[in-house]
Amino acid sequence: MSVTSRYREDWEAFWSAAPAESGAVIWDAEPALAAARHLALFAPHLGSGERPLVDLGCGNGTQTRYLAGRFRRVIGVDLSAAAIEHARRADPAGRAEFRRLDAVEADAAGLLHTELGDADVYMRGVLHQCDPADRQPLADAIATLTGERGRAFLVELSEAAGPVLRGLAGSAGGPPPKLAPVFAHGLTPADVVDDAVPRHLAAAGLAVLAEGELPLVTTESAADGSRIELPARWLVVGRSG
């Protein structure tokens, strides 16, 4: 199974239109407010830390570059070729590897696992954006990449983020500038109910090893100048049994 052509085209259009500068995309928070916080939660589950890390849905690679300084090999993968071009241009020193990958395409995750062996996976805010038919295949892809020994860290918007986003979109002056392109390109954030995430992971053979709540910090500000933070949940998962 592969993602729908509409979904792929929406993301390609979004990233093709996205500005190159850091922080221009609403979820492109500086790593100190994203990957660094997540790594502190993930690190106790990583053992020696010698496995490669796959940043699944890496976008323009801001978090990938941070993670590349902390793992021996980091590969950022994304559905959108335009996103991968953004990521490569922003990493002239080649600290990380970047590839276009449709993670739910038949055999794509398997081929990457054959190359890397068991890997650790970092995935921030991808499942809640997926078309419903692609959510279980994405969870299956995570299980394939982690194999028997790898671990995955996922952070996803919770149901409570939906009303926040809809309120911002429906505000008197229209959605904030960095949120407007998300809706304009037909993307649907916070479209997954809370219990669906562990259910998809369990169906893929992955057990939840740790979990908690931590807001997803955006690069957008509210009318009072405060940073907009969206309710989110994080999970560390690995092979069960």
Side-chain angles (χ1 to χ4, degrees):
M1 179 185 292
S2 179
V3 298
T4 65
S5 60
R6 178 206 58 79
Y7 180 75
R8 184 185 302 107
E9 289 164 4
D10 288 346
W11 277 107
E12 202 63 53
F14 175 87
W15 281 112
S16 294
E21 59 265 24
S22 177
V25 172
I26 191 169
W27 54 78
D28 191 29
E30 53 267 42
L33 300 176
R37 291 179 175 178
H38 301 151
L39 187 55
L41 299 166
F42 194 17
H45 302 274
L46 292 177
S48 66
E50 287 301 304
R51 290 184 293 270
L53 178 81
V54 177
D55 184 0
L56 185 54
C58 67
N60 62 1
T62 298
Q63 312 308 320
T64 325
R65 295 191 299 277
Y66 172 84
L67 294 165
R70 289 147 182 85
F71 291 82
R72 68 176 180 85
R73 185 180 182 188
V74 174
I75 304 96
V77 300
D78 200 278
L79 172 68
S80 166
I84 294 301
E85 286 306 307
H86 275 292
R88 287 173 176 159
R89 285 195 299 269
D91 187 22
R95 287 182 286 172
E97 302 170 46
F98 294 101
R99 306 180 189 182
R100 185 197 168 278
L101 181 79
D102 176 352
V104 302
E105 184 176 5
D107 299 328
L111 289 171
L112 187 56
H113 180 264
T114 297
E115 175 187 346
L116 300 177
D118 289 358
D120 296 315
V121 173
Y122 175 72
M123 191 176 83
R124 184 175 68 111
V126 176
L127 192 68
H128 74 93
Q129 293 274 15
C130 284
D131 279 353
D134 293 320
R135 292 169 191 161
Q136 188 58 52
L138 179 60
D140 295 341
I142 294 168
T144 297
L145 290 169
T146 55
E148 295 300 320
R149 299 176 300 111
R151 298 290 183 262
F153 183 93
L154 290 71
V155 57
E156 294 290 340
L157 293 184
S158 63
E159 284 181 68
V164 177
L165 288 165
R166 289 190 291 273
L168 291 168
S171 57
K178 294 178 184 178
L179 180 59
V182 176
F183 291 108
H185 287 95
L187 307 175
T188 55
D191 197 37
V192 178
V193 296
D194 290 344
D195 65 356
V197 176
R199 192 167 63 241
H200 285 306
L201 295 167
L206 295 170
V208 175
L209 307 176
E211 61 183 317
E213 297 182 358
L214 187 69
L216 194 151
V217 179
T218 76
T219 61
E220 188 60 274
S221 298
D224 62 3
S226 61
R227 181 91 69 133
I228 294 173
E229 298 185 356
L230 299 172
R233 293 195 59 81
W234 60 268
L235 303 95
V236 177
V237 300
R239 184 70 65 179
S240 60

